[in-house]
Amino acid sequence: MSSDLSSLLRASKALTSHLNRPDLPSVNLSLDQIEAQSRKLVSKQLGTATDNDRATYLLAQAHVDAPALSSSIANLNTATTFTPLQALQDTDVAGFVRYAHEQNIIATIEEARKATQESFYKFLEEKEQDDWEQRKKRVFEQLGDRVGTGDNKAVSEMKRSMHGKSLLSVSTGPAPNLQTQNKMMAYDRVVTELNAARLRGISYPVIHALIQASLAVSSSIQASSSQPTIQFTPTLHILSKITAEPPSLPPLEHATAHILNAPLFERKYARVYLGDPESREAVELRRQIAKGAREGLEEQYWDIVERTVHARAMEARLGGDPSVANRIRAYILVRHYRNGEWEDRIELVAGQPLWAKLFYLVRTGHAREALDEAIRHQQPIEHREASFISHFRAWVESPDRRLPKPHRDQLHAVYNAHMLHSATTDPFKLALFKLMGKIDPSRRSVPQVTVTTEDWLWFQLSMVEEEESGGLRGLAEVLLTYGERHFDGTPGHKGARRGVWAGVLLMCGQFERAAAALWEHPETEVEAVHLAIALAYHGLLRVPSRAETNDSTPLSLPNSGPPALSLSALIWRYVRPFVKMDAKEALQYVSCICLSADQGHGVGKEQVETAWEWVRRIIVLANPGAAWEELVGGFRPDGTRFSGFIEQCAPLLKLSDMKEYNAQILIRAAQTSEENSRIPEAIKLYNLAGDYTTVISCLSRALGNSITLPSSDDGARSIEKTASEILRHYERTNRATGKERDAVVRLLKVREAMEAKDAGKPELALEIMESTDLIPLDGDVSKITRRAEEFRDLPEALQRNLQTFLTLTMDALAGVHQKVKNSMAADATKQMVCSSLPFSQHMLNDLWDLVFSGVSLVEEKVKIVNDLCWYSEIPHVS
């Protein structure tokens, strides 16, 4: 038996001898070891089975057949997931094509789903980023306003503790780059000329001035491929056609000769635009908007025709005929003639693409020339469309491009009979029939005709009827569903154009949305502000009330009513960066806020009050100096007053008289300046307003606050200089007499005494202090008692500086005593000089007690005693 087992072992090893690898050791296990390993494997398998049984039991409680599901999963063959349910024969070509088509549809749906999902998340991320940037910008602006206007009490206290070192600089934003600065300067001149014309009471073609400025900006800026092109000039051109503003821009000094007798442009459309939208005048205004926008697009397209024919003269073959019709013929040849053939579906009439020619003449605003061209080819046209000439003539000659009902019914019949479902109809003939009959306005495009965004918009505006489908407002609702990305493209991508969406909104009469669309992008903020100003000037901008104003965005969208744009918020955010450096220009823009002063329901009054508030902020934020005085006015050396730029702009700010100007601008700005520790400016403003008592009171407080500052401090020097000038002027005119003026005189003398002491002249300092009569120095106890009692009635600026006066007096006494002590004179001489000192030590101690009775705070008394205790070394003089 053992030999048989041995032979079996050798035979089994021989079976796998060819698989042995010399680098791996052989494993030889005895039967006991094999049994032990087997038992371990069985025990592990039993544990797994137990776990599976538990899981199956739990699933069974939930009515889940786990074994059946496991069997189904085990038998699942995923390789046949996308195979046909029925096997396709090798010769079943139709079935294979159908199967491939279905798979392509499934793949397309899946790819579209993924693309939509990615686009959604990308859009969501961009929107969140934009919202965050807007909120962050708004927060910084609000913080800046509070710091800039002294609304925050803690900040004001901080400023006072820094002795007038203003923190107002944080209220302005970062400086724009050089490109933006050049753009702003180009448009600044337009706003300046606009306000000059308003002051003279004459009209000013602001839109055409902005067009010239935008052209100058465009020619000086080289747009890089990574930045979207800004489309602002075409938008302004459309607006000029909507408002019917004349195209000329005469120099301002000669403007009167040109437009003095013309109707005033300012707020020309405000009454109708801000009134009842259902009134007859409002309907006519919407018709004018649609017509003006259409005409603007026609002029822009004609410019394209001219440039295309000129650039491709060889293909155009214009010849010597300069007529409009011949130029259109040349343009069509460039556009639709390729390799000796006309494009598909172009119908030739009398050997030429007549339908395309008629359409392009209409498209470029030459409808009368199109009618003449049609009449010249009347016979071949009537051979194809018998009644076209009569319909076309009626349509061209109609003032509102609207056919009578019989003509429209005939056009509809012809269109439905052999054009609607025809695949060979000339697209330009189809477009002409749709335009004349206003046929099927819901189908908003015509293939090969409405190729560009401008073509499509022109076609929509030509189809608009105020009596049908909501008119211009209905078209605006449709366009709002498309959104900005549909027109402007994705920023950063090739071909993206910034500002097209704003132009689209403008053509639909959504003027507030148009300006807001430009403001949403940093690269077009400058354009947004000036577009809003031009709209407000012509009365085509609605501003919200304070209750409706949105803090996060200038655009307000009330639940009931049209949108509104906060012009004041737009302008203030625009001028904030350069208020400190160029306050005069900032004021030019703020003056434009009052263009909306005539809006009803109290909104106009709120706009005026907001403009006044911004003017006061400009005064407070502006850098002090000569430019500041040019802004607010001042006094010449001879005491005569000269007016500032704000006062000259008072009519633009709706300030009726000097009394209102002083109350609303100067005095309130002075109060804010005082709160922001700009004391010299506050004093000058009070003085300009004629509030002389407040000037002296403010001077007294300012000198009291700065008396302890070093003589080299610029703030203290400025206050003292201002006080001296004002005192000299008031003494000549006998103004603001009383205790406060006396306090100013005394404080100035105290400053002189301090300077004399610092210069090593204690005798002079003691003499000046004696002249102030603040501290009695003759040793008369009754006089000391009376002076101590009178001290309580002195102005607060003198009372709280008691320590300074006493310390200065003791410094002067100590200085005189030290000089005497160190002199080379004889003892008798020294004794004589010491005896001439104003008072003795025991009298000085009595003076402390008496004067302390005029000090209400115990802390002040302790402070004074601690500061003066070292003066006890002054010798007793009999």
Side-chain angles (χ1 to χ4, degrees), residues 170-391:
V170 302
S171 67
T172 58
N177 55 39
L178 181 60
Q179 177 177 321
T180 305
Q181 285 182 343
N182 293 335
K183 184 194 299 185
M184 294 169 67
M185 290 175 63
Y187 291 121
D188 282 349
R189 289 189 287 269
V190 177
V191 176
T192 301
E193 292 177 358
L194 170 66
N195 286 332
R198 292 172 61 201
L199 285 172
R200 297 173 61 184
I202 61 176
S203 296
Y204 179 74
V206 61
I207 301 174
H208 284 87
L210 291 174
I211 290 175
Q212 291 188 6
S214 66
L215 290 173
V217 169
S218 300
S219 63
S220 62
I221 294 177
Q222 297 294 333
S224 62
S225 58
S226 61
Q227 295 179 346
T229 304
I230 297 176
Q231 300 289 313
F232 188 51
T233 306
T235 300
L236 291 173
H237 177 254
I238 297 294
L239 183 59
S240 69
K241 304 302 293 186
I242 290 174
T243 58
E245 187 182 275
S248 61
L249 180 61
L252 188 61
E253 60 270 15
H254 303 299
T256 307
H258 291 269
I259 55 179
L260 183 60
N261 297 322
L264 192 63
F265 298 160
E266 184 172 344
R267 310 298 290 175
K268 178 179 178 182
Y269 301 102
R271 183 185 62 82
V272 178
Y273 184 76
L274 302 175
D276 182 9
E278 305 302 329
S279 64
R280 181 177 58 83
E281 293 85 357
V283 173
E284 289 300 324
L285 178 59
R286 288 195 290 272
R287 286 200 181 103
Q288 178 180 335
I289 293 171
K291 180 182 178 183
R294 188 181 71 244
E295 291 177 351
L297 289 172
E298 290 169 356
E299 290 186 2
Q300 292 176 13
Y301 199 82
W302 176 248
D303 183 61
I304 293 174
V305 170
E306 293 272 35
R307 287 188 282 109
T308 302
V309 171
H310 178 74
R312 303 172 66 176
M314 294 295 294
E315 299 175 51
R317 291 177 279 179
L318 183 62
D321 183 6
S323 64
V324 172
N326 189 48
R327 291 179 182 273
I328 292 296
R329 178 204 58 78
Y331 177 74
I332 295 172
L333 199 63
V334 173
R335 281 286 307 273
H336 302 288
Y337 192 73
R338 295 286 187 277
N339 301 322
E341 294 182 354
W342 291 100
E343 288 183 356
D344 188 30
R345 296 176 61 187
I346 297 293
E347 181 182 352
L348 299 180
V349 180
Q352 59 177 312
L354 192 58
W355 300 117
K357 192 174 185 180
L358 295 178
F359 174 81
Y360 279 116
L361 284 169
V362 173
R363 174 68 179 86
T364 55
H366 300 95
R368 177 60 61 178
E369 288 81 353
L371 178 59
D372 296 339
E373 188 73 14
I375 292 173
R376 277 198 298 270
H377 299 85
Q378 182 171 359
Q379 184 176 356
I381 290 177
E382 289 185 346
H383 179 71
R384 288 171 170 79
E385 300 295 340
S387 59
F388 177 80
I389 298 294
S390 63
H391 298 321

Side-chain angles (χ1 to χ4, degrees), residues 489-507:
T490 304
H493 286 73
K494 186 177 181 180
R497 296 185 299 170
R498 181 72 69 219
V500 176
W501 175 236
V504 171
L505 294 171
L506 188 88
M507 295 179 208

Side-chain angles (χ1 to χ4, degrees), residues 489-756:
T490 304
H493 286 73
K494 186 177 181 180
R497 296 185 299 170
R498 181 72 69 219
V500 176
W501 175 236
V504 171
L505 294 171
L506 188 88
M507 295 179 208
C508 299
Q510 299 292 311
F511 302 120
E512 295 82 8
R513 293 181 189 268
L518 291 174
W519 181 257
E520 289 179 357
H521 306 283
E523 62 269 25
T524 54
E525 286 183 354
V526 178
E527 287 81 359
V529 172
H530 294 89
L531 176 63
I533 290 174
L535 290 168
Y537 180 67
H538 283 277
L540 294 174
L541 189 76
R542 183 178 290 101
V543 295
S545 64
R546 287 176 183 167
E548 295 174 341
T549 301
N550 193 334
D551 292 337
S552 60
T553 175
L555 185 67
S556 298
L557 300 172
N559 295 328
S560 59
L565 184 75
S566 179
L567 181 62
S568 58
L570 210 67
I571 286 178
W572 181 246
R573 296 180 192 181
Y574 177 74
V575 303
R576 280 170 56 85
F578 59 86
V579 163
K580 288 176 67 66
M581 302 305 299
D582 201 346
K584 192 174 179 180
E585 286 299 326
L587 184 66
Q588 294 276 14
Y589 282 90
V590 170
S591 300
C592 296
I593 297 175
C594 296
L595 285 169
S596 300
D598 58 351
Q599 188 166 329
H601 304 289
V603 177
K605 183 180 179 182
E606 291 178 351
Q607 293 299 302
V608 173
E609 292 174 351
T610 302
W612 294 346
E613 180 183 353
W614 294 162
V615 171
R616 294 192 293 267
R617 289 193 183 186
I618 290 173
I619 294 174
V620 175
L621 292 171
N623 285 330
W628 188 85
E629 291 193 350
E630 290 180 5
L631 189 69
V632 300
F635 289 91
R636 300 182 180 90
D638 59 358
T640 58
R641 185 181 186 277
F642 62 90
S643 62
F645 185 70
I646 298 177
E647 187 176 344
Q648 296 168 12
C649 293
L652 302 182
L653 296 169
K654 308 302 178 183
L655 293 165
S656 56
D657 51 30
M658 284 300 298
K659 182 179 179 181
E660 188 174 29
Y661 170 69
N662 292 337
Q664 297 295 338
I665 303 299
L666 294 182
I667 291 180
R668 295 185 63 178
Q671 293 169 350
T672 307
S673 297
E674 190 175 1
E675 292 172 359
N676 284 277
S677 299
R678 299 189 62 168
I679 305 303
E681 288 79 12
I683 293 170
K684 291 178 181 179
L685 291 170
Y686 282 127
N687 194 29
L688 287 169
D691 192 354
Y692 307 120
T693 303
T694 307
V695 169
I696 293 299
S697 177
C698 188
L699 276 175
S700 175
R701 290 193 300 272
L703 289 171
N705 293 334
S706 64
I707 197 70
T708 57
L709 297 178
S711 301
S712 59
D713 186 86
D714 293 337
R717 281 291 185 186
S718 176
I719 293 172
E720 292 166 18
K721 180 181 178 182
T722 302
S724 299
E725 293 174 353
I726 291 177
L727 273 181
R728 285 196 299 269
H729 178 63
Y730 283 8
E731 286 173 357
R732 290 197 304 266
T733 57
N734 195 27
R735 289 173 177 169
T737 57
K739 292 184 178 181
E740 292 289 347
R741 197 173 88 174
D742 293 340
V744 172
V745 174
R746 289 178 172 182
L747 288 168
L748 287 176
K749 288 184 176 182
V750 170
R751 172 59 75 177
E752 292 180 15
M754 295 174 69
E755 293 176 354

Side-chain angles (χ1 to χ4, degrees), residues 727-797:
L727 273 181
R728 285 196 299 269
H729 178 63
Y730 283 8
E731 286 173 357
R732 290 197 304 266
T733 57
N734 195 27
R735 289 173 177 169
T737 57
K739 292 184 178 181
E740 292 289 347
R741 197 173 88 174
D742 293 340
V744 172
V745 174
R746 289 178 172 182
L747 288 168
L748 287 176
K749 288 184 176 182
V750 170
R751 172 59 75 177
E752 292 180 15
M754 295 174 69
E755 293 176 354
K757 187 231 9 169
D758 294 339
K761 301 176 181 179
E763 303 91 344
L764 179 60
L766 199 60
E767 181 181 346
I768 296 174
M769 285 302 299
E770 186 174 7
S771 67
T772 62
D773 204 21
L774 288 170
I775 298 177
L777 302 179
D778 55 2
D780 187 346
V781 176
S782 61
K783 190 173 183 179
I784 294 175
T785 304
R786 187 173 65 256
R787 183 68 68 244
E789 293 175 352
E790 293 175 351
F791 195 83
R792 303 176 185 179
D793 299 328
L794 292 177
E796 189 261 348

Side-chain angles (χ1 to χ4, degrees), residues 6 60 163 216 344 414 430 449 466 566 596 659 789:
S6 300
H163 308 302
D344 188 30
V414 173
L430 188 69
V449 176
E466 281 301 315
S566 179
S596 300
K659 182 179 179 181
E789 293 175 352

Side-chain angles (χ1 to χ4, degrees), residues 378-499:
Q378 182 171 359
Q379 184 176 356
I381 290 177
E382 289 185 346
H383 179 71
R384 288 171 170 79
E385 300 295 340
S387 59
F388 177 80
I389 298 294
S390 63
H391 298 321
F392 194 55
R393 185 195 300 274
W395 183 71
V396 171
E397 294 178 350
S398 173
D400 55 355
R401 296 283 176 86
R402 180 178 175 85
L403 287 176
K405 190 175 186 305
H407 285 272
R408 296 183 68 175
D409 292 341
Q410 292 181 25
L411 283 173
H412 276 259
V414 173
Y415 179 83
N416 293 328
H418 62 272
M419 290 186 188
L420 179 59
H421 301 292
S422 175
T424 59
T425 304
D426 189 307
F428 296 99
K429 180 168 73 171
L430 188 69
L432 286 171
F433 272 78
K434 284 177 68 69
L435 288 175
M436 290 189 295
K438 302 291 192 293
I439 300 172
D440 199 5
S442 60
R443 294 189 178 183
R444 299 184 177 275
S445 61
V446 179
Q448 295 180 251
V449 176
T450 53
V451 179
T452 65
T453 299
E454 290 77 9
D455 292 334
W456 187 85
L457 285 169
W458 176 85
F459 200 81
Q460 309 313 308
L461 294 168
S462 300
M463 296 282 286
V464 162
E465 284 286 348
E466 281 301 315
E467 292 80 7
E468 300 175 7
S469 303
L472 191 64
R473 290 177 294 180
L475 175 60
E477 292 176 1
V478 172
L479 292 173
L480 287 172
T481 61
Y482 293 156
E484 180 178 9
R485 295 167 66 91
H486 183 82
F487 294 94
D488 280 5
T490 304
H493 286 73
K494 186 177 181 180
R497 296 185 299 170
R498 181 72 69 219

